[in-house]
Amino acid sequence: YTEAVRWMVELQHTSGTSPSTFSPNDDLTREQFVTFLWRLAGRPPPLEPLPFNDVNPDGFSADAIAWAAEVGVTTGTSATTFSPSDTATRGQAAAFIHRYDRLGIQVADSAHD
C-alpha cells in the first residue's frame, strides 16, 4: 500500500493521521472513507445543506458528507444520521465505491481540480 498512500498524499487526498504517520492498520471511519472519495472527486462543493444531524457542520468531513448524500454515494444510517465516527464496514465501503462508480464520478487529476 506504500505507493497508494504516497499517491494520495501527493494529490492531497489524505494528510494521514499526523504530519508523519498514516496509521494503515487503524480502523477507517465512515467520515474518513467518504472524505477520501470526495477528495478523489476533486472536492466538489455540495449544493444542498448537510442532511444529517449527527455531523458537525464545521468539521473536516461536513462538505464531503453533504456532497456524498447529495449525489447518492450515501444514504446515511437513517434519514437523519450518518454515524460519522463509526467504523466503515467492508459492506459499507463496497456500497460507497459501487455508487461512486455507477454515478460515473471521475478521479480528479489533483486535489484542487
Side-chain angles (χ1 to χ4, degrees):
Y1 57 81
T2 303
E3 183 178 332
V5 171
R6 186 175 297 116
W7 172 79
M8 289 184 69
V9 170
E10 286 174 3
L11 293 179
Q12 298 178 9
H13 297 316
T14 187
S15 57
T17 54
S18 81
S20 62
T21 60
F22 183 72
S23 304
N25 296 317
D26 285 0
D27 289 339
L28 188 65
T29 66
R30 289 171 50 82
E31 71 182 329
Q32 290 168 331
F33 194 86
V34 167
T35 299
F36 284 159
L37 294 177
W38 173 70
R39 290 174 180 166
L40 287 170
R43 302 172 190 243
L47 303 176
E48 301 289 328
L50 187 62
F52 306 117
N53 60 23
D54 64 343
V55 176
N56 177 354
D58 298 319
F60 78 91
S61 65
D63 283 350
I65 294 168
W67 166 82
E70 179 181 308
V71 300
V73 169
T74 186
T75 57
T77 52
S78 79
T80 59
T81 60
F82 179 74
S83 305
S85 299
D86 286 2
T87 298
T89 66
R90 291 170 58 92
Q92 291 166 347
F96 291 157
I97 292 169
H98 176 73
R99 293 177 193 139
Y100 185 98
D101 181 64
R102 290 197 66 188
L103 291 164
I105 301 167
Q106 300 296 311
V107 173
D109 288 336
S110 75
H112 302 292
D113 284 350

